[in-house]
Amino acid sequence: MPLPKPPAKKATILSLADIDAQAAPRAAKRSSKAEPASPAVLDLFDPVEKHLPVTRPPQQARPAAPAPAKSPARARSGSSRRTAPAGPKRLFVLDTNVLMHDPMSLFRFDEHDIYLPMVTLEELDSHKRGMSEVARNARQVSRELDALVAGHPGQMPEEGIPLSRTGHREAGGHLFFQTQLLNVELPDSLPRGKADNQILGVVRALREQHPERDVTLVSKDINMRIKARALGLPAEDYYNDKTLDDVDLLYTGVMALPPDFWERHGKTMESWQQGGYTYYRISGPLVPSLLINQFVYLEAPGVAPLYAKVTEITGKTAVLRTLKEYTHQKNAVWGVVARNREQNFALNLLMDPECDFVTLTGTAGTGKTLMTLAAGLSQVLDERRYTEIIVTRVTVPVGEDIGYLPGTEEEKMSPWMGALDDNLEVLAKADTGAGEWGRAATNELVRSKIKIKSLNFMRGRTFLNKYVIIDEAQNLTPKQMKTLITRAGPGTKIVCLGNLAQIDTPYLTEGSSGLTYVVDRFKGWPHSGHVTLARGERSRLADFASDVL
């Protein structure tokens, strides 16, 4: 029982409410002699009745609220504070490709129910053999399903199996299996023996049996969704794997300051100089929209331009720090100078020892690989900050595969590293004062400090004091990206380069690419930065082709 509040001063009298609270009768204690103790039973599974309302059969929907229900296929997982559903629970029929694409997709639909046709389980069984990513995902889905049904050795309960029974609190719905044959009339033009058509038949049968429920097919197969809509069946894509629905909303790492920036923030601004840089502490409505390591610029006629980086955000104030001008020849990095504003921002990130993870995106010819390689050589050979450069990329061909390649790991990867050789040739030509023999010796030294590695052998490795370049990162999945980034040890810097408009992996899009995933997840971290390069500098032909083709 809580004690009354302590007196604030001498001779303070308790209030009547405190006296009544003290005099309130206590709850009666349970008597240990009321009934004999029963033998202890180890309950491994929670009873289904604890999770399910007894009075509601699975096909009965909740009363609809005035607000429309949000599509759960777009709902992101991991939100611990979920509000009450705004509409009736929906029933989603999952295609096999959804489960093989994301093994945890069963738990990504919030409070809504999941229905698995029997042909989906058959397809999972046929794809579980092998060492491919699809086979691994199929086996993981089978293990998740086995854990869910382990508490029901007999017939499946009519109320369904709670998806939260294996510890996934975000999943509030139930799992249903097809336990009986459903006779559905489909058009004669659709063969009955095809798995996709059987799933379409299951969706139509469920809509006929439960007209009060919103039954929707979820599939990654575009043609299957088209066939479903042609039959009058609602179908949706699986959206949870997409970091962003619109890649134009992706964080660019650069923000233009308003023209009246000095007038709005000049009165309350603090400025000082330290270490050759000028710092500005600002406050106002602009601060909530800023992120750590985000670049800001102000270019207005009649005013000196401002190029700065956000170094600190504390409450309602932010600290901006001016940049090192890599556009000037005296600050050239291994003979390379920035040709535009975004390249200057990128070189500031690449040369910053406090920035452990850098992502650069942009169209072809924006200088991503050249600047990254120049910054790496400068910090490996000149500053001795890192011991060597490690370059890797995913081996996804643009056209037909050329087959097996002879030689060692580095020799097998060399055909994929043509961009590396081209940029090394450009950097070697920049050294005009060394002579032919000097350039040859420099090339040998540079080659000895660059190691080419394959993605297939990265598992379990740890890179210490390395400068790691991941080229063509737009072709990596989020899982592969996580595998690579977690290889970083103390003193290692990882740089990811890519063009989201040139994705060659068949089942990746701009929204589901691993590069999009890490740009969105790492924004605002004090030891990472991102810049989207906007203007191409390769040649006028390449720039025009990027615009019109």
Side-chain angles (χ1 to χ4, degrees):
M1 181 173 56
L3 296 175
K5 295 181 180 180
K9 56 184 179 179
K10 294 183 178 180
T12 302
I13 303 175
L14 286 176
S15 64
L16 295 177
D18 293 333
I19 296 174
D20 294 337
Q22 293 292 319
R26 297 183 180 181
K29 293 184 179 181
R30 295 182 181 179
S31 175
S32 59
K33 300 180 180 180
E35 55 185 15
S38 58
V41 178
L42 180 62
D43 188 9
L44 296 178
F45 301 97
D46 294 335
V48 179
E49 289 76 16
K50 293 182 181 178
H51 301 281
L52 297 174
V54 181
T55 57
R56 182 175 61 84
Q59 66 272 16
Q60 185 177 357
R62 297 183 183 178
K70 179 184 177 182
S71 173
R74 294 182 179 269
R76 299 287 184 256
S77 63
S79 56
S80 58
R81 298 180 181 178
R82 288 205 330 269
T83 57
K89 292 177 65 173
R90 301 172 68 182
L91 180 63
F92 286 95
V93 181
L94 299 190
D95 194 3
T96 315
N97 49 46
V98 175
L99 297 173
M100 292 190 297
H101 179 77
D102 181 7
M104 306 304 292
S105 59
L106 289 169
F107 312 104
R108 310 289 201 206
F109 289 86
D110 292 342
E111 75 277 358
H112 303 273
D113 296 334
I114 304 297
Y115 188 96
L116 293 183
M118 197 56 63
V119 66
T120 298
L121 302 179
E122 292 290 338
E123 286 193 307
L124 281 176
D125 185 67
S126 63
H127 286 89
K128 69 181 181 182
R129 297 170 184 85
M131 297 300 296
S132 64
E133 188 74 17
V134 171
R136 284 194 291 267
N137 290 347
R139 291 192 292 269
Q140 184 175 348
V141 172
S142 300
R143 288 191 290 268
E144 295 291 343
L145 292 175
D146 180 65
L148 286 169
V149 303
H152 303 280
Q155 188 177 4
M156 294 294 173
E158 294 183 359
E159 298 86 1
I161 302 173
L163 290 168
S164 59
R165 66 175 299 114
T166 55
H168 298 275
R169 302 291 183 184
E170 70 275 8
H174 297 80
L175 175 64
F176 297 93
F177 291 95
Q178 180 185 354
T179 56
Q180 58 184 352
L181 182 63
L182 301 175
N183 294 323
V184 182
E185 292 295 331
L186 289 176
D188 297 334
S189 59
L190 295 178
R192 296 298 182 92
K194 193 173 181 181
D196 289 355
N197 298 334
Q198 295 180 28
I199 295 176
L200 292 175
V202 170
V203 175
R204 172 171 281 188
L206 289 174
R207 289 182 64 83
E208 292 176 355
Q209 292 181 4
H210 310 290
E212 72 281 356
R213 296 209 66 174
D214 185 1
V215 182
T216 305
L217 171 68
V218 179
S219 175
K220 297 293 294 180
D221 189 350
I222 298 176
N223 292 328
M224 187 172 182
R225 297 200 302 267
I226 294 174
K227 286 196 295 185
R229 294 186 181 110
L231 295 174
L233 304 175
E236 293 182 4
D237 191 6
Y238 178 66
Y239 296 104
N240 195 269
D241 62 327
K242 292 181 173 58
T243 306
L244 294 172
D245 295 331
D246 187 0
V247 75
D248 292 336
L249 302 177
L250 184 64
Y251 173 65
T252 63
V254 180
M255 187 178 70
L257 296 175
D260 57 349
F261 171 75
W262 296 113
E263 288 77 6
R264 286 191 175 187
H265 301 83
K267 295 181 180 179
T268 60
M269 181 184 297
E270 302 176 22
S271 63
W272 67 95
Q273 290 187 349
Q274 180 180 347
Y277 297 99
T278 303
Y279 292 81
Y280 300 95
R281 187 183 302 276
I282 65 171
S283 60
L286 185 65
V287 174
S289 60
L290 298 177
L291 293 172
I292 297 292
N293 285 340
Q294 184 179 19
F295 292 95
V296 295
Y297 68 93
L298 176 62
E299 295 175 346
V303 181
L306 171 66
Y307 304 103
K309 183 176 73 170
V310 181
T311 59
E312 178 186 339
I313 297 177
T314 306
K316 297 181 179 180
T317 63
V319 176
L320 308 180
R321 191 197 71 188
T322 56
L323 305 177
K324 189 173 183 178
E325 287 296 333
Y326 288 102
T327 56
H328 200 281
Q329 187 64 39
K330 68 176 182 180
N331 295 325
V333 179
W334 202 261
V336 174
V337 295
R339 294 188 178 182
N340 56 54
R341 180 180 60 227
E342 285 76 17
Q343 286 188 355
N344 186 31
F345 295 161
L347 284 173
N348 273 274
L349 284 179
L350 293 171
M351 298 299 292
D352 187 359
E354 294 298 322
C355 201
D356 301 332
F357 183 71
V358 179
T359 52
L360 300 179
T361 61
T363 58
T366 50
K368 302 182 294 293
T369 308
L370 181 65
M371 289 190 301
T372 303
L373 196 56
L377 291 173
S378 176
Q379 295 175 90
V380 169
L381 296 175
D382 293 344
E383 302 179 14
R384 311 256 178 189
R385 188 175 296 158
Y386 308 104
T387 57
E388 63 181 4
I389 299 174
I390 294 179
V391 185
T392 185
R393 59 163 289 174
V394 61
T395 54
V396 179
V398 177
E400 294 293 331
D401 200 347
I402 62 175
Y404 292 100
L405 299 173
T408 61
E409 175 191 358
E410 191 156 336
E411 292 172 345
K412 290 177 184 293
M413 289 295 295
S414 59
W416 302 97
M417 292 299 172
L420 175 66
D421 297 332
D422 297 340
N423 286 283
L424 286 178
E425 183 179 350
V426 173
L427 294 175
K429 288 182 178 179
D431 189 8
T432 57
E436 180 120 7
W437 289 97
R439 283 198 297 270
T442 303
N443 289 339
E444 290 296 326
L445 179 61
V446 166
R447 293 282 181 178
S448 66
K449 291 295 184 179
I450 298 177
K451 298 292 187 296
I452 300 173
K453 300 296 181 183
S454 173
L455 287 176
N456 300 334
F457 311 108
M458 289 294 183
R459 183 79 70 180
R461 297 200 59 182
T462 301
F463 297 129
L464 301 176
N465 295 319
K466 310 293 186 193
Y467 187 90
V468 182
I469 302 174
I470 304 175
D471 202 7
E472 303 296 335
Q474 76 274 4
N475 291 318
L476 294 172
T477 65
K479 187 175 181 180
Q480 290 172 327
M481 191 68 78
K482 179 181 179 181
T483 301
L484 287 175
I485 297 174
T486 52
R487 301 304 99 206
T492 293
K493 189 189 194 82
I494 295 183
V495 184
C496 294
L497 314 175
N499 180 11
L500 292 172
Q502 294 181 347
I503 296 179
D504 301 318
T505 306
Y507 302 107
L508 280 183
T509 62
E510 294 178 352
S512 60
S513 170
L515 183 58
T516 306
Y517 180 74
V518 296
V519 169
D520 186 69
R521 295 302 175 94
F522 275 87
K523 64 181 180 183
W525 188 49
H527 301 287
S528 71
H530 169 73
V531 173
T532 299
L533 300 171
R535 196 170 69 189
E537 300 290 350
R538 178 172 291 166
S539 67
R540 58 189 178 188
L541 174 60
D543 295 344
F544 185 73
S546 299
D547 294 336
V548 301
L549 297 182

